[in-house]
Amino acid sequence: MTCREVESLILPYARAAEIPPEAAAHIAGCASCGGLARMLAKRDAAAGPSPAGLARIKAEIAGGLKPVKPLAPASVLAGAYLLIAALGAAAGVFELGTAGWHALGGTQASAVFLALAVSSVALAVLLARQMAPGSRVLVPAPWIVLGFPVVMGAIFATLFRAQPEALFVATGLTCLRIGLECALPVAAVCWLVLRRGAVLGERTAGALAGALAGLSGLLLLEIFCPNLNAYHVLAWHLGAAVVSTAAGMAAGMAAGRIGR
Amino acid sequence: MESYQHGDQAAAHALVDLLSGRLCAFFSSPMGSRAQADDMLQEAWLRLHQARHTYRPGEPVLPWMYAIARRVRVDHYRKRRRIELREVAPEGLDNVAGQASPASEGPTFVELIAPLPESQREVLTLLKVHGLSIEEVARATATTAGAVKQKVHRAYDRLRALLAGAETAAGGPS
């Protein structure tokens, strides 16, 4: 048995007496593992709470004790976030039209909307889990927040043709504005839902809400804008989603500072 | 916990009795005073009470509690740091050695793992002192079980190196 295998065996045990016999045999003969096990078995005598302090806490809790309804299941909350994002994009499409949808080829549309759907579901699930402390984390939030622009960027770069454009900035700024105008109310409503929970990582929650809102803006732009130039889509459509994510993160950090 | 959510006062008091010892141990540190730990305990219960609706019946209670307690501790340290930056500390106020365990008792667990980075120290303490499982530590620290295992293995590597260094120093020429 190697030292690394012993580490894996003793890892889940808090008490020295619980260490499995096969690991104990190795520990007895290995100076390094023996020293480590002795160190981990050491216990500090922690002072308990004072009776007066406990009485004060109980009195405070009793003063504000009312029945509360537990937070809705994560799946319901994730569904609510997806609905908010979809409604945001739908409102924009209702006003601006579907020229982009008709301009997209079959492969382009399938790849773009599938990636948007998967990213949105992942963000909505992570956002819902932010509301309940101690929720299980299957995928770290930064992976999704940083991963979706990379995936979308790869799809745009691969499936869309790049060509120089005369009014690159002028038309681009219009798309950026439309994307952000769609993202802003979606992010605001998501934040209102988030406030129903107990968000401990405001920066992460802000980035997730901003990213989901940004995807809503990106969805609207892909359905509305008929410009399929890869440069335009990468810089301004995806740019709107990235700006929205960064703004959400900044807003979350600011909210965290105010909360403290 | 569910009775507490339903407004049962006896359940709330039982929960305070049951969990305050763990919370107190979590907030105690060799660098902090007893008063600071008491303040954090009170603040933690206030936040736990305000967030009691976010506990989902059937889910483990400890990760939920430690996640909130962890945030209380972080906020407390940030606040203390802000105050310390503005104030000129009187001599000896932060004398950690003055609060350390007597030499006859040997170093405490917290002192032994003090050289580790904060994130490694935190998971090791939750795992080995507070007796949480890897899954519970992952939930409490908002990370994955794999990341917790990686941090613990890195902590073990560091501790082995420290132990080897200490033994070399003790056995070497004085």
Side-chain angles (χ1 to χ4, degrees), chain B residues 17-151:
Chain B
D17 288 331
L18 192 71
L19 300 178
S20 291
R22 278 178 171 272
L23 284 170
C24 209
F26 182 74
F27 292 131
S28 301
S29 89
M31 280 164 282
S33 67
R34 175 63 195 260
Q36 283 170 346
D38 282 345
D39 283 349
M40 282 191 272
L41 179 68
Q42 188 134 6
E43 174 67 22
W45 270 112
L46 185 70
R47 292 200 202 178
L48 288 166
H49 183 62
Q50 285 169 347
R52 66 192 186 281
H53 68 288
T54 62
Y55 169 76
R56 291 199 176 100
E59 294 274 306
V61 177
L62 291 181
W64 175 81
M65 181 195 79
Y66 278 111
I68 294 172
R70 190 171 168 257
R71 178 58 195 260
V72 170
R73 196 169 65 175
V74 169
D75 286 350
H76 178 84
Y77 285 153
R78 280 181 183 153
K79 194 174 160 188
R80 204 177 71 176
R81 214 173 142 203
R82 274 203 303 272
I83 292 167
E84 282 173 357
L85 283 173
R86 281 192 223 113
E87 289 176 347
V88 179
E91 274 182 45
L93 189 72
D94 287 332
N95 187 0
V96 178
Q99 295 172 23
S101 57
S104 57
E105 288 176 18
T108 64
F109 180 78
V110 174
E111 286 163 359
L112 285 170
I113 62 166
L116 298 177
E118 170 60 30
S119 64
Q120 292 176 13
R121 219 164 46 218
E122 182 179 47
V123 292
L124 210 55
T125 309
L126 286 172
L127 207 61
K128 295 295 170 189
V129 177
H130 298 277
L132 267 63
S133 68
I134 290 167
E135 175 61 31
E136 286 173 332
V137 174
R139 281 169 175 256
T141 55
T143 187
T144 59
V148 171
K149 283 183 191 171
Q150 197 179 39
K151 276 180 194 168

Side-chain angles (χ1 to χ4, degrees), chain A residues 5-16:
Chain A
E5 284 167 344
V6 169
E7 278 182 13
S8 297
L9 272 173
I10 63 173
L11 209 146
Y13 301 101
R15 305 274 177 270

Side-chain angles (χ1 to χ4, degrees), chain A residues 90-113:
Chain A
V93 170
F94 184 74
E95 198 181 318
L96 299 167
T98 57
W101 171 267
H102 297 296
L104 283 170
T107 314
Q108 288 172 327
S110 308
V112 168
F113 293 116

Side-chain angles (χ1 to χ4, degrees), chain A residues 29-228:
Chain A
C30 173
S32 176
C33 288
L36 188 66
R38 276 193 297 280
M39 190 184 254
L40 296 175
K42 205 165 170 64
R43 287 285 165 272
D44 302 342
S50 67
L54 282 184
R56 207 165 49 239
I57 289 165
K58 284 177 185 173
E60 273 180 23
I61 285 178
L65 195 60
K66 286 177 190 156
V68 288
K69 199 177 159 196
L71 204 61
S75 55
V76 173
L77 292 168
Y81 286 123
L82 283 174
L83 188 66
I84 294 164
L87 286 175
V93 170
F94 184 74
E95 198 181 318
L96 299 167
T98 57
W101 171 267
H102 297 296
L104 283 170
T107 314
Q108 288 172 327
S110 308
V112 168
F113 293 116
L114 182 67
L116 277 172
V118 171
S119 303
S120 301
V121 169
L123 287 168
V125 170
L126 286 173
L127 206 48
R129 286 174 184 265
Q130 288 290 314
M131 295 170 72
S135 291
R136 179 179 285 148
V137 178
L138 296 173
V139 183
W143 288 16
I144 302 294
V145 170
L146 297 173
F148 91 81
V150 173
V151 171
M152 294 305 302
I155 290 170
F156 291 140
T158 315
L159 298 178
F160 289 64
R161 235 181 81 212
Q163 54 198 18
E165 204 174 283
L167 296 168
F168 180 73
V169 175
T171 55
L173 283 176
T174 306
C175 279
L176 182 70
R177 182 179 54 77
I178 290 169
L180 292 177
E181 278 177 359
C182 172
L184 191 65
V186 170
V189 179
C190 285
W191 191 253
L192 288 177
V193 178
L194 263 175
R195 281 171 57 88
R196 295 180 66 83
V199 175
L200 299 178
E202 288 92 348
R203 187 177 59 176
T204 306
L208 287 168
L212 184 65
L215 282 187
S216 177
L218 183 56
L219 175 63
L220 164 63
L221 288 170
E222 291 316 306
I223 296 173
F224 149 71
C225 177
N227 188 342
L228 301 185

